[in-house]
Amino acid sequence: KMVDPTLAEMGKNLNEAMKMLEDNQRKVEEENEKKYARKDIPGPLQGSGQDMVSILQLVQNLMHGEEEEETSQAYRLQNVGEQGHMALLGHSLAAYISVLDRERLRKLTTRILSDTTLWLCRLFRYENGSAYYHEDDREGLLKICRLVIHTRYEDYTVEGFNVLYTKQPVIYISSAARTGLGQALCNQLGLPLSCMCRVPCNTMFGSQHQMDVALLDRLIKDDVESGKLPLLLVANAGTPGAGHTDKLGRLKELCEQYNMWLHVEGVNLATLALGYVSSSVLAAIKCDSMTLTLGSWLGLPAVPAVTLYRHEDPSLSLAAGLTSSQPVEKLRALPLWLSLQYLGHDGIVERIKHASQLSQRLLENLKNLDFIKTSVEDELSSPVVVFKFFREYSNRDQTSHAAPASTIQHPIISNERHIYDTFNQWLGEQLAQLVPASGVDVVELEDEGTCVRFSPLMTSAVLGTEIQDVDQLVDCLKMKIPVLTSTLQLREEFEQEVRRTVGLLYIEDLSWPGLGVVRYNYHSDGKNDDKQEKELEKINTELLKKLNELESDLTFSLGPEFGGQKNCIYIGMVTEDLDVSELVETIAATGREIEENSRLLENMTEVVRKGIQEAQLQLQKANEERLLEEGVLRQIPVVGSVLNWFSPFQASPKGRTFNLTAGSLESTESTYVSKAQGTGTTPPPTPTSSLAKQRLPGQKIFKRSVRSSDALSETSSVSHCDDLEKTDQRPLTLSPSKEQGPLETEKTEEQKEVAQPTKTDAEDIQSDRSPHDCTKVEEQESQR
């Protein structure tokens, strides 16, 4: 067969370009360019021009950037297969076909448009329909609104807004619709926001995401009585959040009663192509118009959305912009025309069926998981699966998990609602990170709060989701549920322990997904606020560093980058074997140690400064005394030398030494006499932490042992005290080589005296011992 050489060259060039853009391997030339050039800075246009390879290389560099080198997890691009290449080829062909002569272009575009419209109407069971192809998925609804205005207001073409002023139109939209949809329609149509009426969803019966039909009927009656014109109703076959379908059958009857237009949109419309369709979605085939987003359903890049509608007057459709007399605008359907032929009827149905099977597989597995609550319209089959982590009984309630549902449901206060939203936000982010091919995301619902959503009709064809990905998603969910339950259960215990501990301040941050937030309080001694704030930041920063150096499974951080509390320690998710008391005691002890070291350094600096000043004064005074002893004659240059020759003056060098331990100045006379520097006061031994806990081999810090983890709070606390007593008694029995006669009596007396130690006692002991040490040194020197 004869092949157009231009078409053959176009297909060849597209194939080479796609291979080059999809190649993720970095070449040596790219590395050399990165050393001296930044690709995000625009440069001048080169006069000589560049070849196609260089231009495509630049496009590849702009697409990938340096993100793959900065992070180990490369972002996932859309899975562009052969059908995607056909859609991309359609855009190139549209540009090539547009240069044909007008008659050939008209015939070709008419054939492409009629074929695509016929295939879509038969595929989605929409008989005798017309199609409008548009890039923005809201543009189809906008054109439909203009069509209905032209239909209901006969003089609109001549009178314009004056006709709307006499009888204001009203457009009804569900409160579960996309955010900003009503405002966008009013802005594009030039209507006031009062023309948009939001219809609430059910509150008593039925799904809480379905439009309240009885309330809608009442709203329409009120608008008619007030002289307004009910124009159009936008219903959902799969709400953007939960994927629920409105009662389209009753809504269609209501629209026929008040002569209104019914427009339907939503992801569940894709199931119209399957052999079995639920009755709620099947009612959409009787609506006046519907919008289909085939690009996400079939994994086709850069294909337009389609709005199917039924209308008998082509002139009004032309006035509303649904049809065009320009053949070039009809070429929008060309990428879709090529892709639908490539996939075929069976291929399209298979992709939609595969997405439905994925959601069904996940829904069946979620039924067997504890603490997971689903929010689906149909328990047997739901294209969109929305679930959340939720404990249906209070952590203070010790009733069995097998209790009836009516007895275990408790009212959720606002704080608990906020905590569950935070935990589910963390759960959704973790699942999306661990299983990126699943396409799960986090959604905010009005009644359920924060939930995790799995909508394979919107993501599976793009990401290439398979059954294995769903099973991996369930396995990851099973791993995260115990962590969530343990953290939720230990949050209250952690708060109580922190509030009982001196020196720690509990910070309530409901938006933090973890055990809690704590701050070490700095005891200021009359310092100003700025200095106290800096010292507090210094101590908590050092405390965070010390905690991260411990070999534990916990994560300590400064909290979120934005919106978090300052100078706090944020503790992440925990497991059930966490010893909360040991964790809190360790934080408090480490904070006190850092504070004491900081104060010791600060006091030492002050003592040294004062000691230097005092030494300067004493040395100046000693120098004056030396001058008085020598006399005035010895200060005269010539006379003093002669006098010193005949009668030398014997004077011992006088200096000062500073004892850091005692914090006092001492004379250097004893040093020059004994020819050795005194040892001074012996520094007190560094106290060891009394919180040392005996651990089993391989047991990490903050973990309860197997014996104590089986028991509850009372028994674990008793066994913990017994262990501490054993560790206190053990050093006394492990020193058989030392003398035990008088040593034991001295230890018992010291233990009695140490029960209530004071600073004055410690200073007296040091002052009593220091002269004794000095006399020992003098005796040794005299014996030498």
Side-chain angles (χ1 to χ4, degrees), residues 242-444:
H244 291 201
T245 303
D246 291 326
K247 298 176 182 179
L248 300 179
R250 295 186 58 188
L251 293 178
K252 180 57 180 178
E253 296 175 357
L254 201 62
C255 289
E256 291 177 351
Q257 178 183 350
Y258 293 99
N259 194 20
M260 295 172 56
W261 185 285
L262 177 61
H263 178 82
V264 180
E265 60 181 19
V267 66
N268 293 349
L269 291 175
T271 59
L272 289 173
L274 301 179
Y276 169 76
V277 187
S278 62
S279 59
S280 59
V281 180
L282 189 60
I285 64 177
K286 297 181 181 180
C287 66
D288 299 300
S289 61
M290 65 170 64
T291 299
L292 310 175
T293 55
L294 297 171
S296 56
W297 297 350
L298 304 179
L300 302 176
V303 297
V306 185
T307 296
L308 302 178
Y309 64 96
R310 297 189 184 99
H311 199 264
E312 298 177 354
D313 193 347
S315 61
L316 295 181
S317 300
L318 180 63
L322 289 170
T323 57
S324 175
S325 59
Q326 298 295 328
V328 178
E329 295 188 8
K330 298 180 181 179
L331 289 175
R332 291 180 182 176
L334 182 57
L336 196 57
W337 182 71
L338 294 175
S339 301
L340 292 179
Q341 291 185 87
Y342 183 84
L343 290 174
H345 184 276
D346 296 338
I348 296 172
V349 174
E350 183 62 29
R351 285 175 177 264
I352 298 176
K353 183 179 179 181
H354 175 68
S356 301
Q357 291 175 350
L358 293 176
S359 60
Q360 185 66 22
R361 179 68 171 262
L362 179 62
L363 186 59
E364 292 176 356
N365 290 326
L366 292 180
K367 294 179 181 178
N368 302 324
L369 296 181
D370 295 331
F371 310 117
I372 293 297
K373 181 180 179 181
T374 59
S375 176
V376 293
E377 184 179 9
D378 188 1
E379 293 291 341
L380 300 178
S381 177
S382 178
V384 181
V385 179
V386 176
F387 61 93
K388 62 180 295 186
F389 166 75
F390 181 71
R391 296 188 64 180
E392 295 186 351
Y393 59 91
S394 176
N395 54 358
R396 304 180 185 90
D397 191 5
Q398 301 297 330
T399 57
S400 174
H401 180 64
S406 60
T407 62
I408 62 178
Q409 292 182 354
H410 296 269
I412 302 179
I413 59 177
S414 58
N415 286 353
E416 292 180 351
R417 166 73 179 267
H418 201 163
I419 292 174
Y420 277 113
D421 289 346
T422 302
F423 276 40
N424 283 284
Q425 177 80 23
W426 177 86
L427 177 62
E429 294 174 354
Q430 289 291 312
L431 294 178
Q433 181 180 0
L434 295 174
V435 193
S438 64
V440 295
D441 60 348
V442 180
V443 61
E444 296 285 343

Side-chain angles (χ1 to χ4, degrees), residues 422-423 426 483-484 487 512-515 553-555 571-575:
T422 302
F423 276 40
W426 177 86
V483 177
L484 290 169
T487 306
W512 172 250
L515 184 63
D553 295 334
L554 301 182
T555 56
I571 306 174
M573 293 289 179
V574 299
T575 54

Side-chain angles (χ1 to χ4, degrees), residues 26 34 37-39 61 64-71:
R26 298 298 190 194
K34 290 180 181 178
R38 286 191 59 186
K39 306 175 185 58
N61 296 337
H64 297 284
E66 300 180 359
E67 296 182 5
E68 294 183 359
E69 297 181 356
E70 295 177 357
T71 176

Side-chain angles (χ1 to χ4, degrees), residues 168-172 186 191-197:
Q168 180 178 344
V170 182
I171 301 175
Y172 301 90
C186 290
L191 298 177
L193 293 179
S194 59
C195 294
M196 193 63 53
C197 179

Side-chain angles (χ1 to χ4, degrees), residues 196-266:
M196 193 63 53
C197 179
R198 294 182 61 87
V199 183
C201 295
N202 296 325
T203 56
M204 298 296 295
F205 305 100
S207 171
Q208 295 180 346
H209 302 278
Q210 289 180 347
M211 195 183 303
D212 193 339
V213 181
L215 183 57
L216 173 63
D217 188 10
R218 193 157 57 248
L219 291 174
I220 295 176
K221 288 181 180 179
D222 294 341
D223 290 336
V224 172
E225 293 175 357
S226 61
K228 297 180 180 180
L229 179 63
L231 196 68
L232 181 138
L233 172 64
V234 182
N236 291 301
T239 55
H244 291 201
T245 303
D246 291 326
K247 298 176 182 179
L248 300 179
R250 295 186 58 188
L251 293 178
K252 180 57 180 178
E253 296 175 357
L254 201 62
C255 289
E256 291 177 351
Q257 178 183 350
Y258 293 99
N259 194 20
M260 295 172 56
W261 185 285
L262 177 61
H263 178 82
V264 180
E265 60 181 19

Side-chain angles (χ1 to χ4, degrees), residues 44-56 58:
L45 179 64
Q46 297 186 8
S48 59
Q50 302 184 35
D51 56 358
M52 186 182 66
V53 178
S54 302
I55 297 174
L56 291 178
L58 175 62

Side-chain angles (χ1 to χ4, degrees), residues 539-557:
I539 292 177
N540 282 277
T541 304
E542 185 67 21
L543 176 59
L544 176 63
K545 181 180 178 181
K546 294 285 186 182
L547 293 175
N548 284 324
E549 291 175 355
L550 300 176
E551 295 181 359
S552 66
D553 295 334
L554 301 182
T555 56
F556 303 94
S557 65

